[in-house]
Amino acid sequence: MYAPNRVRKFTENIFKAIGCSTKDAKLAADVLINADLNGVDSHGVARLAGYVRLFDHGRLNPKPNINIVYETPSTATIDGDKGLGLVVAPFAMKLAIKKAKNAGSGWISVQNSNHFGIAGYHASQALEHDMIGWAMTNAAPLVVPTFSKEKLLGTNPIAVAVPADKQPAFLADFATTAVAYGKMEILQRKGLNAPMGWVQDENGNPTDNANAVKEGGGLLPLGGDREHGSHKGYGLGAVVDIFSGVLSGANFGPWVPPFATAGFQGVAAEQVGKGTGHFLGAMRVDGFRPKEDFKQSMDKWIERFRSAKHIDGNPVQIPGDQERNFRAERLVSGLPLIDPVVDSLKELGERFKVRF
Amino acid sequence: MYAPNRVRKFTENIFKAIGCSTKDAKLAADVLINADLNGVDSHGVARLAGYVRLFDHGRLNPKPNINIVYETPSTATIDGDKGLGLVVAPFAMKLAIKKAKNAGSGWISVQNSNHFGIAGYHASQALEHDMIGWAMTNAAPLVVPTFSKEKLLGTNPIAVAVPADKQPAFLADFATTAVAYGKMEILQRKGLNAPMGWVQDENGNPTDNANAVKEGGGLLPLGGDREHGSHKGYGLGAVVDIFSGVLSGANFGPWVPPFATAGFQGVAAEQVGKGTGHFLGAMRVDGFRPKEDFKQSMDKWIERFRSAKHIDGNPVQIPGDQERNFRAERLVSGLPLIDPVVDSLKELGERFKVRF
């Protein structure tokens, strides 16, 4: 087990070592550590070496000049200047919140960014302002639309954060696929097969091969197959791609560049926009209803769902419960980093003369 | 086959017969006929008798005084005054478009409404203004959250309409469940079983019983089971419920009143808000990017997805293609109303002395 603050400090120092300002390094580290604390191990410091590789490949600007390229009272597009998504997305979310204060809601599309970490971190920034937060991003193509043999969409996550009163906040944060790609990587490491309904092979046939995505197959959209609504998961992933990529002027569809860790994918020769795209939003709850009324109704919603008659041993969870449970445990016990992640951090430490 | 204009005129006359203004009757009929034209038979004139039953039960005000109860430059809540959702939702969408013209985007939550027909109709109103349209609604509880034995959510659809240039518009419009309830009704009529993964029984076990929802079971969220991401479908349905119900001050969760046709459901004794809730939105694409650039990128998106290498005989569809294909055919051939629907229309005709 590793103390969160030790890992946090190390992560900050690595970001500083590649040229980030102290402020940006702290922010980027905060996003990653929060993924680890919340149990989303695939999106935490396991990716630190990947961000450094992006820098090595000239795809990451450690001192970006993030600026607004287009705006109205409640909307804007910002150019991330090839900065860390971990820094660009919080900039966009701050702008969304500022616009929401003045106009009731704020919606920001982002071009020219990189992987932004966990969507839920960004959406949750709205909560302390008594706003509903929204965050989505496109990502490199790993997912096959219904009936496609080609991978044309990323796992394109959506996060929505909703404040409550006495109850903890509602936080839905999920990839628009049957499973996140990180689950395939875990199976690969363990040499296990995948359940049917997660992936298809290069001919478009169902398969349990955990390596299928690397061998010409693809992740299936949420729903799995047409009979069980995969066209809905595809439609949802498409909406995320359009809002994040087409609306912002970033790349979209199969042209979205890979995060540095996906060794089997290259950057598409043709680029149809700039970098990776995101879409973030904030809405004041009192743009619709007195906020006390809203929050009390949310408490009632949460209490009712949490107390539902449930299947033996499996209480009904409120979106966000799982993250909170991990967090409560890991703040005490520390982060259970696996050996390959620890090794990657040690390598970074040696390279940049930063003690882990 | 029935000529769309004949069915449209009849539908208008029935709405007038229960007291709607000519303008409202025309609008409500337009929403229903468009469902039939687009192949969404479950949401078209098959429901006309249901709307009349709502009126008979005192739950429908044919002459509503729809008004804005709360607003900011880009948000508002409207009270539908127990009007037809078919009329209240278009009112809300007009307001969303007006706000988007001034503030870049407009987001309207709706309380005290009734079933609004197909979500896609409302989202699509944004297209001619070069805006992206968004429509969602909550609905009576038919759906079990992951691990729940109780039905706490409706099929809670989401529709997103996006304009393109030379290509027809993108229109995603789907229930947040594995299947819409209408599919179960079709199986019931034919005496067939359901595929596994659509419903569970009253004990929370998987079943292929097409009557399961009426017998204490429930529809499964998109994803089907936990292993295939049902918690994501549940989270998405929850977001729709919160935006439509909690944000507006309408009923939410298990308290949402049933549409009149669901004979096995009653109105909950406790009401936590007013009527059924919706959420509608519009965003100017040129609130983010010059609109010509956006539309050309959308064309490129659509062309790339449509031309994807596909599984034999099944080209990759763009969300909205299915509706357009039905429409092209039915504008020529007419509407294939099934006998029970025709009977229900004839009964209405006799009751209100309107010729079908």
Side-chain angles (χ1 to χ4, degrees):
Chain A
M1 292 296 178
Y2 295 82
N5 279 340
R6 172 185 164 195
V7 182
R8 177 192 291 271
K9 192 74 207 163
F10 174 80
T11 304
E12 277 176 34
N13 285 333
I14 295 296
F15 281 127
K16 279 197 273 189
I18 62 170
C20 296
S21 70
T22 301
K23 193 178 152 218
D24 283 358
K26 275 181 189 296
L27 178 55
D30 193 52
V31 183
L32 293 188
I33 299 303
N34 271 284
D36 283 307
L37 284 171
N38 292 357
V40 193
D41 300 354
S42 57
H43 284 56
V45 294
R47 291 196 182 236
L48 183 57
Y51 289 104
V52 172
R53 251 194 326 277
L54 276 177
F55 171 74
D56 290 338
H57 293 168
R59 287 178 50 204
L60 178 64
N61 177 0
K63 290 202 169 59
N65 176 26
I66 306 170
N67 67 309
I68 300 171
V69 293
Y70 222 84
E71 72 179 320
T72 73
S74 75
T75 67
T77 294
I78 69 168
D79 183 321
D81 194 23
K82 293 169 67 181
L84 280 166
L86 307 170
V87 168
V88 175
F91 180 102
M93 200 62 201
K94 265 195 186 152
L95 183 59
I97 290 166
K98 186 177 155 201
K99 285 186 177 286
K101 275 183 188 157
N102 295 324
S105 73
W107 304 91
I108 316 297
S109 75
V110 180
Q111 59 170 232
N112 210 9
S113 185
N114 278 296
H115 195 281
F116 76 9
I118 44 171
Y121 179 94
H122 307 301
S124 297
Q125 302 309 309
L127 294 172
E128 64 178 299
H129 304 279
D130 291 324
M131 295 181 185
I132 293 175
W134 192 287
M136 337 200 260
T137 186
N138 65 12
L142 294 174
V143 182
V144 285
T146 304
F147 301 136
S148 175
K149 289 186 188 175
E150 290 184 272
K151 294 186 277 282
L152 298 179
L153 288 170
T155 52
N156 295 7
I158 300 176
V160 181
V162 184
D165 188 16
K166 296 186 179 62
Q167 292 289 337
F170 172 104
L171 174 61
D173 181 4
F174 54 87
T176 51
T177 46
V179 288
Y181 189 67
K183 298 236 173 139
M184 306 307 295
E185 292 175 324
I186 293 170
L187 294 174
Q188 288 163 21
R189 270 199 297 273
K190 297 183 177 172
L192 296 174
N193 286 336
M196 298 301 288
W198 287 13
V199 284
Q200 72 180 27
D201 70 15
E202 73 275 24
N203 297 313
N205 295 319
T207 180
D208 62 1
N209 175 7
N211 293 296
V213 179
K214 290 196 280 190
E215 296 170 1
L219 282 178
L220 294 169
L222 180 59
D225 59 25
R226 180 65 175 75
E227 185 172 73
H228 294 88
S230 68
H231 56 298
K232 302 176 182 188
Y234 154 41
L236 201 59
V239 167
V240 174
D241 190 38
I242 291 166
F243 278 54
S244 303
V246 182
L247 204 51
S248 68
N251 285 291
F252 49 82
W255 296 283
V256 180
F259 182 66
T261 51
F264 62 97
Q265 293 183 301
V267 176
E270 181 188 3
Q271 293 285 277
V272 295
K274 289 162 116 183
T276 296
H278 318 310
F279 187 83
L280 300 109
M283 297 196 303
R284 271 166 46 196
V285 297
D286 67 357
F288 296 92
R289 222 185 145 181
K291 73 179 171 195
E292 295 72 23
D293 293 354
F294 175 84
K295 288 172 146 191
Q296 282 162 23
S297 288
M298 263 319 285
D299 275 4
K300 185 159 179 102
W301 193 101
I302 290 169
E303 287 156 13
R304 179 65 183 87
F305 278 65
R306 202 190 292 291
S307 64
K309 285 187 205 106
H310 59 268
I311 297 171
D312 27 287
N314 289 302
V316 173
Q317 293 205 308
I318 305 303
D321 279 353
Q322 181 174 296
E323 288 88 343
R324 269 187 295 276
N325 293 343
F326 269 112
R327 191 180 191 86
E329 187 192 315
R330 291 185 173 185
L331 280 171
V332 176
S333 67
L335 306 179
L337 305 178
I338 58 173
D339 290 346
V341 171
V342 173
D343 292 346
S344 76
L345 298 181
K346 282 184 180 159
E347 270 175 44
L348 290 172
E350 280 166 28
R351 171 174 166 192
F352 292 106
K353 316 288 177 217
V354 175
R355 201 169 139 261
F356 177 56
Chain B
M1 292 295 178
Y2 295 82
N5 279 340
R6 171 184 165 196
V7 182
R8 177 192 291 270
K9 192 75 206 162
F10 174 80
T11 304
E12 277 176 33
N13 286 333
I14 295 295
F15 282 127
K16 280 198 272 189
I18 63 169
C20 296
S21 69
T22 301
K23 192 177 153 220
D24 283 358
K26 275 181 189 294
L27 178 55
D30 193 52
V31 182
L32 292 187
I33 298 304
N34 272 283
D36 283 306
L37 284 170
N38 291 357
V40 193
D41 299 355
S42 56
H43 285 57
V45 294
R47 292 197 182 234
L48 183 57
Y51 289 104
V52 172
R53 254 196 319 279
L54 275 177
F55 171 73
D56 290 339
H57 294 168
R59 287 177 50 204
L60 178 64
N61 177 2
K63 290 202 170 58
N65 175 27
I66 306 169
N67 68 308
I68 300 171
V69 292
Y70 223 83
E71 71 180 319
T72 73
S74 75
T75 68
T77 295
I78 69 168
D79 183 320
D81 195 23
K82 293 170 66 181
L84 280 166
L86 308 170
V87 168
V88 175
F91 180 101
M93 200 63 200
K94 265 195 187 151
L95 183 59
I97 290 166
K98 187 177 154 201
K99 285 185 177 287
K101 276 183 189 158
N102 295 323
S105 73
W107 305 90
I108 316 298
S109 75
V110 180
Q111 60 170 230
N112 211 9
S113 185
N114 279 295
H115 195 281
F116 76 8
I118 43 170
Y121 179 94
H122 307 300
S124 298
Q125 301 310 307
L127 294 172
E128 65 179 298
H129 303 280
D130 290 326
M131 294 181 186
I132 292 175
W134 190 287
M136 338 200 260
T137 185
N138 65 13
L142 294 173
V143 182
V144 285
T146 305
F147 301 136
S148 174
K149 289 185 187 175
E150 290 184 271
K151 294 186 276 282
L152 297 178
L153 289 170
T155 51
N156 295 5
I158 299 175
V160 181
V162 183
D165 188 17
K166 296 188 179 60
Q167 292 290 337
F170 171 104
L171 174 61
D173 181 3
F174 54 86
T176 51
T177 46
V179 288
Y181 189 67
K183 298 235 171 138
M184 305 308 295
E185 292 175 325
I186 293 170
L187 293 173
Q188 289 163 20
R189 269 200 299 274
K190 296 184 177 170
L192 296 173
N193 287 337
M196 297 303 287
W198 286 14
V199 283
Q200 72 181 27
D201 70 15
E202 72 277 23
N203 298 313
N205 296 317
T207 181
D208 62 0
N209 176 6
N211 291 296
V213 179
K214 290 196 279 188
E215 295 170 2
L219 283 178
L220 294 170
L222 179 60
D225 58 25
R226 180 64 176 74
E227 185 171 73
H228 295 86
S230 69
H231 56 299
K232 302 176 182 187
Y234 154 40
L236 201 59
V239 166
V240 174
D241 190 37
I242 291 166
F243 278 54
S244 302
V246 182
L247 203 51
S248 69
N251 286 291
F252 49 82
W255 296 283
V256 180
F259 183 66
T261 50
F264 61 97
Q265 292 183 303
V267 175
E270 181 189 4
Q271 293 284 278
V272 296
K274 288 162 118 183
T276 296
H278 318 310
F279 187 82
L280 301 108
M283 297 195 303
R284 272 167 45 197
V285 298
D286 67 359
F288 295 92
R289 224 186 144 181
K291 72 180 173 195
E292 295 72 23
D293 293 353
F294 175 84
K295 289 171 144 190
Q296 282 162 22
S297 289
M298 262 318 285
D299 275 5
K300 184 157 181 103
W301 193 100
I302 291 169
E303 286 157 12
R304 179 66 184 86
F305 278 65
R306 203 190 290 292
S307 64
K309 285 187 203 107
H310 59 269
I311 297 171
D312 26 288
N314 288 302
V316 173
Q317 293 205 308
I318 305 304
D321 279 353
Q322 182 174 297
E323 289 87 343
R324 269 187 295 276
N325 293 343
F326 268 112
R327 190 180 192 85
E329 186 192 316
R330 291 184 173 186
L331 279 171
V332 176
S333 67
L335 306 179
L337 305 179
I338 58 173
D339 290 346
V341 170
V342 173
D343 291 346
S344 76
L345 298 181
K346 283 183 180 159
E347 270 175 44
L348 289 172
E350 279 165 29
R351 173 174 164 190
F352 292 106
K353 316 289 178 217
V354 174
R355 200 168 139 261
F356 177 57

